Amino acid sequence: MTPLLDVRKLSKSYGARIGCADVSFTLWPGEVLGVVGESGSGKTTLLNCLAGLLSPDAGEVIFDTRTDGPRDVLRMSEPERRMLARTDWAFVHQNPRDGLRMGVSAGGNVGERLMAVGARHYGRIRGAALDWLGRVEIAADRIDDRPAAFSGGMQQRLQIARNLVTGPRLALMDEPTGGLDVSVQARLLDLLRGLVRELGLSAIIVTHDLAVTRLLADRLMVMKQGRVVETGLTDQVLDDPQHPYTQLLVSSVLQA
Amino acid sequence: MGKTVTGYNFAYLDEQTKRMIRRALLKAVAIPGYQVPFASREMPMPYGWGTGGVQVTAACLTPADRLKVIDQGADDTTNAVSIRRFFQRVAGVETTEETERATIIQTRHRIPEQPLTEDQILVFQVPIPEPLRFLEPRETETRKMHALQEYGLMHVKLYEDIARHGHIATAYAYPVRVEGRYVMDPSPIPKFDNPKLGDCPALQLFGAGREQRIYAIPPWTQVVSLDFEDHPFEPGRAEAECALCGATDSYLDEVIVDDAGGRMFVCSDTDYCRKRRAAGHEGRQGAGEMAP
């Protein structure tokens, strides 16, 4: 089996400051990888480099494309990468306003990716939008409302629907539960877990919330100052942390 | 050639400016629907009054040309009259109100009803040349979208129309795809005129003065109005006939005639309407008030 994503020695610095350095990992089909670390540890830089939103200074990001097999994303032409970004990839922003078109109705938001890959049948686009709104538990009668009229949790679920409508194989999520209250977080996590299992999606979830990784992630990668300090199965890392920083991180969590 | 004011170059613009605009025009013709940047000049009229169109017209005019200027189809409205007089004074070219006699027609918001010929140039005044503008405000991004043909967003706009109104409610500035490549804003012409853009024998030039863009549709070019398979494009038209000439095939303006809900529909193309009446066609209110 070929890994879906193979990252080799990825580095990105902002001048003299290190964004992330020498990050290598593989992601297998259907696997969920959690990336944890404190603010400024390079989690988001890593994710943006993977998604092509930032260009890294060195390294390779090899993605197993549907048509041509494994290819280095960073050396693809821009049209190819953008095509990949709206078909096989999903990117869920921390702030749903960054990932949604706030002036366009919920249905239009979900339908945009379909139209971007050539769907030209209104009835079918609307049908797919309705189906996906249902899957993320947004009532069908809200389809023509704009996201501005939605609560934060609904906006986040809408963003997820909008990203998953083209059936991507890789989801990159940047703090998907950040800024949501605890009960809404729990529902969103439940939903995400269901979708990931149901669709066989591979995902990289960047978060500082260890509870989120405990629920969602199969494997964990701990980052500190731009470098990976520990990797392993989620339960293993959380229950038996080896690196001093990981031990600190785990012990910092309040036990409710 | 008529009497010109002295002190102005022929057709107002200096020759270097005309050269610059003609180069932009050549590029625009070579890449149908592509917006070519040009160094738009200050013109002696406010932005929004057709400064782009005037510059394109000035760069195309020769002393032998016959110019027609229309505004919303009419030859006698402020914008049309002022631009026509402008070129009468600074170029001394002959002007006409008859579509078939004109060699250059500058227009705002309409395409004449009379079919155009290969000997004519139609110059559009364009307020906002970027069809994606209201969906994607970043110019860097819209240029990239044009370059990569990422036009899904244009359909999102049409989707929103159907979701909100049950049909595509965009009635003017209806987006088109030119020769299967660039998506283009046809300027705020009614979508009734959209079918006339394609396979047109005349050269169609578009000038946006404030936005500093020129684009073109060469003669006999394929122009397709965007739509959905289950909501096909329909050129809209008021369900009425012209009250003056009785035409049932022309684009109509709705005119409110009193404060008691009275209204009449008349051809927006004044030249077309006048010719029809001169040929003996008469609408229900056509008798009596014949234009000069």
Side-chain angles (χ1 to χ4, degrees):
Chain A
M1 192 158 79
T2 43
L4 187 67
L5 193 69
D6 190 358
V7 178
R8 292 176 194 162
K9 294 199 173 296
L10 199 70
S11 299
K12 166 79 185 169
S13 58
Y14 303 102
R17 285 192 190 81
I18 293 174
C20 60
D22 270 347
V23 178
S24 301
F25 65 89
T26 49
L27 184 74
W28 299 89
E31 188 183 35
V32 178
L33 176 72
V35 181
V36 295
E38 61 190 0
S39 298
S41 60
K43 309 185 297 277
T44 302
T45 298
L46 173 65
L47 204 63
N48 285 339
C49 285
L50 295 180
L53 302 177
L54 281 175
S55 56
D57 302 327
E60 292 178 335
V61 178
I62 294 162
F63 179 76
D64 185 21
T65 58
R66 280 181 214 241
T67 44
D68 305 329
R71 290 193 53 194
D72 189 350
V73 174
L74 303 176
R75 278 161 195 76
M76 276 184 183
S77 67
E78 191 170 12
E80 282 181 299
R81 195 163 56 227
R82 284 170 71 111
M83 187 65 181
L84 206 57
R86 60 174 188 265
T87 52
D88 246 2
W89 291 0
F91 196 99
V92 178
H93 293 264
Q94 174 173 9
N95 186 345
R97 280 160 199 275
D98 296 339
L100 291 172
R101 284 190 194 279
M102 298 306 282
V104 169
S105 71
N109 263 296
V110 178
E112 182 181 340
R113 270 186 168 229
L114 294 172
M115 292 181 247
V117 295
R120 294 290 180 262
H121 190 283
Y122 175 81
R124 283 200 284 273
I125 293 167
R126 198 165 171 84
L130 272 172
D131 175 40
W132 269 97
L133 289 182
R135 287 208 214 182
V136 297
E137 300 167 17
I138 293 175
D141 63 351
R142 302 300 298 272
I143 187 170
D144 292 332
D145 290 350
R146 293 183 179 188
F150 287 5
S151 69
M154 280 172 81
Q155 288 181 0
Q156 195 57 284
R157 278 179 276 147
L158 179 62
Q159 193 193 177
I160 290 166
R162 166 185 161 88
N163 270 287
L164 296 187
V165 66
T166 45
R169 291 184 299 154
L170 174 64
L172 305 171
M173 302 191 197
D174 188 5
E175 306 267 10
T177 58
L180 301 176
D181 72 59
V182 193
S183 62
V184 175
Q185 261 190 34
R187 273 180 66 198
L188 189 71
L189 287 174
D190 205 36
L191 177 81
L192 275 178
R193 195 158 58 161
L195 287 175
V196 165
R197 296 283 174 270
E198 181 190 337
L199 302 172
L201 200 63
S202 303
I204 298 176
I205 297 178
V206 162
T207 180
H208 57 255
D209 188 342
L210 293 181
V212 169
T213 56
R214 174 84 83 174
L215 276 171
L216 281 179
D218 303 312
R219 268 196 312 140
L220 213 54
M221 198 161 87
V222 185
M223 288 184 74
K224 181 174 188 280
Q225 290 173 350
R227 290 173 192 280
V228 178
V229 294
E230 187 166 353
T231 55
L233 297 175
T234 303
D235 291 344
Q236 184 190 332
V237 173
L238 291 182
D239 295 337
D240 182 18
Q242 300 295 312
H243 190 274
Y245 175 70
T246 317
Q247 292 169 353
L248 180 73
L249 204 65
V250 171
S251 63
S252 311
V253 178
L254 286 175
Q255 299 299 325
Chain B
M1 232 178 115
K3 194 162 54 102
T4 34
V5 274
T6 53
Y8 283 108
N9 191 31
F10 174 75
Y12 189 75
L13 295 174
D14 62 276
E15 293 303 315
Q16 284 303 315
T17 300
K18 286 187 195 169
R19 185 177 139 114
M20 174 269 294
I21 294 175
R22 285 170 190 156
R23 288 173 71 119
L25 285 171
L26 287 176
K27 183 168 181 182
V29 169
I31 318 173
Y34 172 71
Q35 300 168 47
V36 184
F38 80 110
S40 177
R41 298 289 193 250
E42 289 281 336
M43 297 302 283
M45 59 187 69
Y47 287 129
W49 281 60
T51 54
V54 165
Q55 290 177 73
V56 171
T57 302
C60 292
L61 268 183
T62 65
D65 271 318
R66 254 191 312 275
L67 179 69
K68 172 183 162 83
V69 185
I70 50 176
D71 169 13
Q72 307 266 15
D75 289 280
D76 53 3
T77 46
T78 317
N79 198 212
V81 171
S82 68
I83 292 174
R84 187 164 58 233
R85 280 190 44 212
F86 174 75
F87 280 117
Q88 275 171 345
R89 290 189 62 184
V90 300
V93 290
E94 193 186 334
T95 59
T96 179
E97 295 193 359
E98 291 178 56
T99 304
E100 64 272 22
R101 288 193 67 235
T103 53
I104 295 185
I105 304 171
Q106 181 171 337
T107 175
R108 170 174 178 264
H109 298 193
R110 271 315 304 278
I111 296 175
E113 306 289 353
Q114 165 87 31
L116 302 174
T117 66
E118 281 187 341
D119 303 324
Q120 293 176 312
I121 298 177
L122 189 59
V123 179
F124 293 79
Q125 303 171 198
V126 183
I128 297 165
E130 179 52 73
L132 301 161
R133 172 64 70 245
F134 291 109
L135 299 150
E136 177 53 66
R138 288 168 295 178
E139 176 77 18
T140 47
E141 186 65 17
T142 53
R143 279 197 217 179
K144 194 169 279 182
M145 289 160 82
H146 280 295
L148 303 179
Q149 301 191 54
E150 289 180 4
Y151 290 133
L153 203 51
M154 210 66 249
H155 274 85
V156 173
K157 179 175 151 52
L158 302 179
Y159 170 95
E160 289 289 288
D161 263 7
I162 303 173
R164 210 167 302 155
H165 305 286
H167 61 278
I168 299 178
T170 303
Y172 65 95
Y174 193 103
V176 295
R177 191 151 196 185
V178 182
E179 205 66 20
R181 178 59 180 85
Y182 283 96
V183 165
M184 190 193 91
D185 182 341
S187 86
I189 59 171
K191 65 178 173 181
F192 174 83
D193 283 341
N194 267 25
K196 299 181 198 165
L197 292 165
D199 280 330
C200 175
L203 171 62
Q204 300 173 83
L205 305 174
F206 298 76
R210 182 185 50 209
E211 304 284 326
Q212 311 200 317
R213 293 289 183 278
I214 282 173
Y215 50 103
I217 303 177
W220 311 111
T221 299
Q222 181 204 52
V223 178
V224 179
S225 302
L226 301 182
D227 58 3
F228 285 104
E229 288 158 23
D230 47 348
H231 284 84
F233 170 77
E234 282 170 16
R237 182 182 179 277
E239 292 289 330
E241 58 181 53
C242 174
L244 299 179
C245 76
T248 55
D249 58 349
S250 66
Y251 188 73
L252 301 175
D253 282 340
E254 186 178 4
V255 183
I256 292 173
V257 291
D258 54 33
D259 59 359
R263 61 188 58 188
M264 66 192 284
F265 289 94
V266 291
C267 291
S268 97
D269 186 335
T270 51
D271 175 55
Y272 181 75
C273 196
R274 199 186 61 237
K275 286 219 183 82
R276 272 181 59 86
R277 277 179 289 156
H281 297 281
E282 198 174 287
R284 270 174 294 142
Q285 300 173 50
E289 47 163 329
M290 179 79 185

